[in-house]
Amino acid sequence: MEEKWWMRSVVYQIYPRSFCDSNQDGVGDLNGIRSKIPYLKKLGIDVIWLSPVYESPNADNGYDISNYYAISPEFGTMEEMKSLIRECRESGIRIVMDLVVNHTSDEHAWFLEAKKSEDSPYRDYYIWRKGEAGSPPNDLRACFGGSAWEYSEETGAHYLHLFGVKQPDLNWENDAVRKEIWNMMNYWIDLGIGGFRMDVIDLIGKVPDQGITGNGPMLHTYLQEMNRETFGTKDLLTVGECWGADPEKGRMYSDPARRELSMIFQFEQSMLDEQPGKEKWDLRPLQLRELKQVFTRWQTEMEGHGWNSLFWNNHDLPRIVSRWGDDGVYRVASAKMLATLLHGMKGTPYIYQGEEIGMTNMPFHSFTEFQDIESLNMIQERLEKGYLPEEIMKSLRAKSRDNARTPMQWNSGLQAGFTEGQPWCPVNPNYREINAARALRDQDSIFYYYQKLINLRKTEDILIYGSYELLLPEDENIYAYMRAWQGKKWLIVCNFYKEPVPFSYEGTGRTILSNYKENSRTIQNLNNRNLRPYEAAIYELEM
Ligand code: GLC
Ligand code: CA
């Protein structure tokens, strides 16, 4: 595949509300982000994916947009947005905007007009159906619980919302809707952004009357049209959020010959710790072998036909060190192990704010501490169904999106340096131990380990181009794989757990990076070794 700038890039996701508050109103903002450019520069990232900063009533923290051309006043102004884009560019960082176009807010001008009358020119911007005797047209469910159809009194019809009731789905079959979206995307492209992260983009081809939501028949036609009408001739990073993708679908999106997207986010690994066919709240332990199978399928089946994204975290997922690492004694070692495992693979890595300092899940104690619409709906639904409060709490602690949304921990001062005001959401009480200032003072911190991984990607072609081969597929404790490129071989080996485990590889190698200090750049015999708790290393094999 032709090399693109985003193949060598590392993306840093910012959830603006929780990143840095510049004016002490308790909500993170654009000027807060601007003040942290030197920090991001130091980490070495090339791209920021900015979660939505558009005008929004915040039913889903900005994933419900009421005006695509305006910045939400709580985040700042369009002038500040332009300054952020410019200042980042000057530091070699591009900004990828969140594109939320499966739905708008019900407070978007289009919807306000559409719901008034069946004759409104905006009526067909959304999806309306009349059900028998006022009941929903069918039993489609919304991702945040309940029916996907909401009754609207003005016209006695239901509109479709695959997420919250305040997030009506746009009607992509309508040419006028697609034109509006292309215009809006071009507006942002002209402002000099580096690309788009496309929210739940695999839903845009839906056929609600047949119960089809994800991967609908027109999905790829629309994406090809989008590519032609907007970014196709521009050198941008485009990444689609696709919960329902397997590698075959992944190739359809990202094979350059098809002219759709640069890459997608797929979530097969993310569903491994839930009971198959059930909800994310229905927990089961992760099996390392399954994780290896999923990653390996994506690594090998995309080879030459598309491009992977690599991520553990985002604003919708629990913190990885709490989820599959150890957020207690081995927090630092396990965070570095997880980073090694992911960043050693082929694809574009994404880091979610706070991951680089090993931020953990929040120790929630009561239902009143949750703010996310998904959590709140789930609590209500499961209480009504008779689940025990303890069971519900266990699921929320493990999986709620609130975990990832606590304020970024900058220092050990009041409110972790996130704000001098009252934060919109409580700071994790572990901020005195886990914070960026402390990480920056400690040469062995998770922060500097990420910095090294990012640097390697800048200088080592093997990370970009090298083939991937899984070793020890049946091993239940070790994740080991080989990258190979132009006569060079890198062995990446990770002990996924805290028990020491024997590992053996016939050969010798030089340590490129390891989370245990003792390993130096000298030649090591890789035969008959013992991997310490969460030990991870990258070795260049002697050939
Ligand atoms: C995506 C976003 C999530 C949002 C949902 C609806 O999954 O990442 O935060 O709630 O889409 O827009
Ligand atoms: Ca603020």
Side-chain angles (χ1 to χ4, degrees):
M1 271 172 63
E2 190 195 338
E3 167 147 1
K4 296 282 189 183
W5 61 269
W6 37 259
M7 293 180 175
R8 215 175 267 276
S9 298
V10 178
V11 183
Y12 187 91
Q13 183 192 351
I14 290 182
Y15 195 68
R17 177 168 299 278
S18 303
F19 190 62
C20 179
D21 176 21
S22 72
N23 62 351
Q24 321 314 339
D25 64 355
V27 176
D29 46 51
L30 296 179
N31 287 342
I33 299 172
R34 287 165 73 189
S35 73
K36 298 298 181 184
I37 295 174
Y39 171 83
L40 298 171
K41 201 61 209 144
K42 180 155 194 169
L43 183 57
I45 56 103
D46 313 89
V47 182
I48 293 171
W49 151 24
L50 201 58
S51 274
V53 291
Y54 313 92
E55 195 179 277
S56 162
N58 285 317
D60 186 15
N61 282 1
Y63 284 91
D64 50 321
I65 297 170
S66 51
N67 185 348
Y68 294 102
Y69 294 92
I71 298 296
S72 166
E74 58 182 355
F75 292 140
T77 64
M78 190 55 89
E79 278 319 301
E80 287 161 1
M81 184 68 220
K82 289 178 185 165
S83 302
L84 174 65
I85 296 172
R86 195 191 58 246
E87 289 161 12
C88 281
R89 269 231 169 219
E90 287 164 5
S91 295
I93 296 173
R94 301 179 218 225
I95 303 245
V96 163
M97 294 297 277
D98 219 309
L99 183 76
V100 188
V101 288
N102 173 68
H103 45 267
T104 66
S105 162
D106 65 342
E107 297 181 34
H108 193 290
W110 299 336
F111 190 79
L112 294 177
E113 284 305 313
K115 75 171 183 183
K116 280 188 198 155
S117 132
E118 288 173 13
D119 303 325
S120 159
Y122 292 99
R123 183 71 172 180
D124 288 337
Y125 274 42
Y126 297 89
I127 302 169
W128 300 91
R129 298 287 186 271
K130 287 209 163 145
E132 299 265 328
S135 55
N138 62 30
D139 54 13
L140 258 187
R141 309 288 295 169
C143 297
F144 294 157
S147 169
W149 299 99
E150 181 73 5
Y151 185 70
S152 177
E153 262 180 15
E154 285 95 329
T155 55
H158 286 81
Y159 66 85
L160 181 76
H161 63 90
L162 291 179
F163 293 88
V165 291
K166 283 181 69 62
Q167 293 165 293
D169 278 49
L170 282 166
N171 176 17
W172 275 71
E173 286 175 18
N174 182 344
D175 297 346
V177 166
R178 298 200 307 283
K179 276 229 171 65
E180 296 266 18
I181 294 169
W182 310 156
N183 286 343
M184 180 268 287
M185 291 174 71
N186 286 325
Y187 167 83
W188 283 99
I189 292 172
D190 291 344
L191 286 184
I193 62 164
F196 295 102
R197 175 270 183 181
M198 302 181 184
D199 193 64
V200 291
I201 202 70
D202 60 352
L203 302 180
I204 61 174
K206 68 186 78 78
V207 191
D209 300 306
Q210 294 170 27
I212 299 173
T213 53
N215 300 300
M218 291 297 283
L219 168 60
H220 293 280
T221 310
Y222 293 152
L223 287 175
Q224 285 169 5
E225 182 180 321
M226 177 194 281
N227 179 304
R228 273 196 314 277
E229 299 292 329
T230 65
F231 53 80
T233 55
K234 315 274 178 4
D235 197 13
L236 299 186
L237 184 168
T238 51
V239 52
E241 186 202 20
C242 302
W243 280 83
D246 55 19
E248 190 186 334
K249 296 195 178 80
R251 290 196 300 267
M252 293 185 71
Y253 290 102
S254 71
D255 186 339
R258 291 176 50 87
R259 298 180 184 279
E260 295 187 18
L261 306 180
S262 316
M263 64 190 107
I264 61 164
F265 293 132
Q266 61 84 15
F267 293 87
E268 286 195 308
Q269 69 277 358
S270 194
M271 294 189 257
L272 292 176
D273 59 6
E274 69 197 43
Q275 296 168 36
K278 294 212 178 163
E279 297 188 318
K280 75 180 214 181
W281 310 111
D282 299 306
L283 313 175
R284 74 165 177 144
L286 173 75
Q287 305 288 325
L288 179 60
R289 269 160 52 189
E290 293 183 353
L291 182 69
K292 294 198 250 188
Q293 282 161 15
V294 167
F295 275 150
T296 300
R297 237 189 10 256
W298 281 90
Q299 287 288 298
T300 51
E301 294 183 23
M302 298 290 278
E303 179 71 45
H305 302 284
W307 191 253
N308 276 302
S309 68
L310 308 168
F311 69 100
W312 287 125
N313 290 286
N314 66 33
H315 64 293
D316 296 329
L317 301 174
R319 293 282 181 182
I320 195 64
V321 70
S322 298
R323 188 182 192 179
W324 294 341
D326 174 351
D327 60 10
V329 188
Y330 294 111
R331 186 181 63 88
V332 173
S334 68
K336 291 176 181 173
M337 181 278 287
L338 290 161
T340 314
L341 203 173
L342 198 74
H343 286 239
M345 286 194 274
K346 186 166 183 163
T348 300
Y350 289 71
I351 299 168
Y352 177 65
Q353 65 184 44
E355 177 182 338
E356 77 281 13
I357 54 169
M359 277 177 62
T360 67
N361 280 353
M362 183 79 171
F364 291 109
H365 297 294
S366 116
F367 289 159
T368 58
E369 292 168 299
F370 296 92
Q371 301 196 41
D372 176 32
I373 179 173
E374 185 192 51
S375 306
L376 298 177
N377 289 358
M378 175 281 222
I379 294 171
Q380 198 191 336
E381 200 171 295
R382 292 206 161 189
L383 282 175
E384 280 165 12
K385 284 187 182 156
Y387 283 75
L388 295 173
E390 306 88 85
E391 281 177 87
I392 298 179
M393 197 63 190
K394 196 169 167 217
S395 298
L396 288 164
R397 280 187 156 179
K399 289 291 189 67
S400 84
R401 308 194 299 181
D402 305 75
N403 280 305
R405 301 179 179 186
T406 62
M408 175 73 186
Q409 293 162 210
W410 291 107
N411 58 46
S412 58
L414 217 57
Q415 309 299 0
F418 162 70
T419 182
E420 283 166 27
Q422 200 45 40
W424 73 276
C425 152
V427 171
N428 193 312
N430 62 21
Y431 70 94
R432 281 191 197 83
E433 185 204 342
I434 304 171
N435 63 66
R438 190 164 163 172
L440 289 171
R441 286 195 303 268
D442 171 8
Q443 283 308 311
D444 288 329
S445 68
I446 302 168
F447 179 94
Y448 289 115
Y449 197 85
Y450 270 88
Q451 186 189 57
K452 287 185 189 128
L453 282 168
I454 295 168
N455 262 325
L456 279 179
R457 192 162 284 271
K458 300 284 172 279
T459 53
E460 296 287 350
D461 282 353
I462 186 170
L463 279 178
I464 318 299
Y465 301 113
S467 62
Y468 165 102
E469 185 199 347
L470 181 69
L471 308 175
L472 308 173
E474 299 306 322
D475 193 289
E476 287 173 359
N477 303 296
I478 298 171
Y479 194 142
Y481 60 94
M482 192 76 79
R483 301 289 308 270
W485 175 249
Q486 295 189 336
K488 205 184 216 187
K489 278 191 169 183
W490 279 16
L491 170 68
I492 290 98
V493 51
C494 299
N495 177 2
F496 208 80
Y497 298 103
K498 62 165 155 288
E499 289 76 31
V501 5
F503 171 78
S504 210
Y505 182 84
E506 283 296 328
T508 53
R510 187 172 64 89
T511 312
I512 300 287
L513 189 64
S514 164
N515 61 352
Y516 276 81
K517 251 206 218 150
E518 298 85 348
N519 286 335
S520 66
R521 288 197 153 238
T522 54
I523 304 296
Q524 314 246 354
N525 184 352
L526 300 173
N527 224 338
N528 289 327
R529 296 175 60 99
N530 209 23
L531 295 177
R532 288 158 285 186
Y534 296 103
E535 180 164 351
I538 303 178
Y539 298 109
E540 180 164 324
L541 297 182
E542 282 214 300
M543 307 292 276

